Amino acid sequence: MSKIKPSKGAPYARILGVGGYRPTRVVPNEVILETIDSSDEWIRSRSGIETRHWANDEETVAAMSVEASGKAIADAGITAEQIGAVIVSTVSHFKQTPAVATEIADKLGTAKAAAFDISAGCAGFGYGLTLAKGMIVEGSAEYVLVIGVERLSDLTDLEDRSTAFLFGDGAGAVVVGPAKEPAIGPTIWGSEGDKSETIKQTVPWTDYRNGEVAKFPAITQEGQAVFRWAVFEMAKVAQQALDAAGITSADLDVFIPHQANERIIDSMVKTLKLPESVTVARDVRTTGNTSAASIPLAMERLLATGEAKSGDTALVIGFGAGLVYAATVVTLP
């Protein structure tokens, strides 16, 4: 018989607060058109994107994360010292080690919180949220800070017509804490590594270091293949998340998909047959694709503008490089 005592975690977990940070520089499509042969009309019709934010030298991955996290902690009504773990999802922190999460935890003033980074692309927020829920229910932390943050402008090839207009920078954060009733549903997540070539870094860092290529690595993708996968396969995953939570689309108040492309969002809404009463996040129009940051940034904007309200039931789904995905139903803070 085991001598290990059972964990004393909370019965459930929920999102208690959300915060976001968008860089001060706003970049319209006209700037993108300086380096690619396209038009503002084409970019808007293909992606829905009108503007995006690009970080300056001071708006580092850590700095943006600290700003977003401070807002989330205040929104949750707790102090940084109460944070037991910091999870950061990013693909654009260029120091292999240490994890940027440790720097963020220190700058926020946590009491030596556990801190680590994860790399799950545009599904990273969902992965982090799932880990946070497990920590709280298991009892290893009472409050967990989950951050999605990217400086994708550093990984954008401005001469690549298929991706130059897509990416933006920013940070979104949520505080996850204990709850007395279910407020984060089961996560439907997974990976399809056989499709890893559809979204990838152009070359390994070692090729650049060794002088085998002169151009700094960037993110590239096969647009049509990604579009088909996202629309058809991710709609199925989203439905599975609704089923796992025990609700139907009629029970939803808000839909917050990864802000990859407005055409993908529109197609998913249609495939899922969401009622017109469901508020749909369309932060992509002015923020672009911010990968791991896109869902919390969109969530923060919906709550700030009043398009969504505390207590609403929301379906969130992230999907991207890997290919990886994660979907769940949450109660908004």
Side-chain angles (χ1 to χ4, degrees):
M1 184 174 179
S2 175
K3 296 180 181 179
I4 300 174
K5 293 181 180 180
S7 300
K8 294 183 179 180
Y12 305 105
R14 68 169 295 153
I15 300 173
L16 299 174
V18 60
Y21 180 82
R22 292 171 174 81
T24 55
R25 183 187 178 193
V26 177
V27 180
N29 289 338
E30 285 72 16
V31 172
I32 307 299
L33 296 174
E34 293 173 4
T35 53
I36 60 171
D37 181 17
S38 187
S39 68
D40 177 65
E41 181 183 2
W42 187 89
I43 293 174
R44 291 181 189 234
S45 65
R46 303 290 288 187
S47 68
I49 299 172
E50 302 167 7
T51 61
R52 72 284 293 148
H53 295 256
W54 284 355
N56 60 33
D57 291 344
E58 287 74 39
E59 292 167 321
T60 64
V61 165
M64 292 191 293
S65 296
V66 169
E67 289 292 328
S69 299
K71 296 175 184 177
I73 292 169
D75 191 43
I78 66 169
T79 65
E81 289 85 355
Q82 292 175 271
I83 298 292
V86 177
I87 303 171
V88 178
S89 178
T90 186
V91 299
S92 48
H93 175 58
F94 292 153
K95 278 188 179 178
Q96 192 71 40
T97 192
V100 72
T102 59
E103 179 184 349
I104 295 165
D106 177 64
K107 287 184 175 179
L108 287 171
T110 67
K112 299 183 179 179
F116 59 95
D117 298 350
I118 59 174
S119 176
C122 305
F125 176 75
Y127 275 48
L129 187 64
T130 303
L131 294 174
K133 174 186 174 183
M135 290 178 182
I136 290 159
V137 173
E138 184 271 337
S140 60
E142 185 176 11
Y143 298 100
V144 179
L145 180 64
V146 180
I147 303 166
V149 57
E150 301 292 2
R151 275 183 51 122
L152 293 180
S153 57
D154 291 333
L155 285 168
T156 299
D157 180 353
L158 294 178
E159 297 178 348
D160 183 345
R161 189 173 184 272
S162 65
T163 60
F165 60 90
L166 284 177
F167 302 121
D169 303 337
V174 298
V175 171
V176 184
K180 295 181 179 179
E181 58 183 15
I184 300 176
T187 300
I188 306 300
W189 57 352
S191 65
E192 298 184 30
D194 60 316
K195 299 179 179 65
S196 61
E197 291 295 302
T198 55
I199 307 175
K200 64 180 183 178
Q201 184 171 306
T202 48
V203 295
W205 298 115
T206 48
D207 286 4
Y208 182 74
R209 179 197 65 188
N210 297 337
E212 296 174 33
V213 293
K215 205 167 189 176
F216 193 75
I219 296 173
T220 187
Q221 69 174 28
E222 298 174 14
Q224 287 302 313
V226 172
F227 181 88
R228 288 192 297 270
W229 176 78
V231 169
F232 297 109
E233 297 304 320
M234 291 305 97
K236 297 176 187 176
V237 171
Q239 184 60 55
Q240 290 171 20
L242 291 175
D243 295 341
I247 67 172
T248 69
S249 59
D251 299 311
L252 272 183
D253 299 305
V254 185
F255 179 42
I256 311 177
H258 164 49
Q259 302 293 292
N261 180 308
E262 193 165 36
R263 290 174 64 211
I264 291 175
I265 295 171
D266 288 339
S267 295
M268 291 184 72
V269 168
K270 183 177 180 180
T271 302
L272 289 167
K273 298 179 180 179
L274 296 184
E276 290 186 7
S277 59
V278 174
T279 297
V280 179
R282 300 184 185 279
D283 195 44
V284 67
R285 292 173 178 171
T286 56
T287 307
N289 180 344
T290 56
S291 188
S294 78
I295 290 175
L297 276 174
M299 183 184 296
E300 185 253 2
R301 174 162 281 173
L302 289 176
L303 289 167
T305 59
E307 296 173 80
K309 63 183 184 299
S310 175
D312 278 353
T313 300
L315 169 63
V316 299
I317 179 169
F319 45 86
L323 293 170
V324 295
Y325 55 87
T328 189
V329 175
V330 303
T331 300
L332 294 182

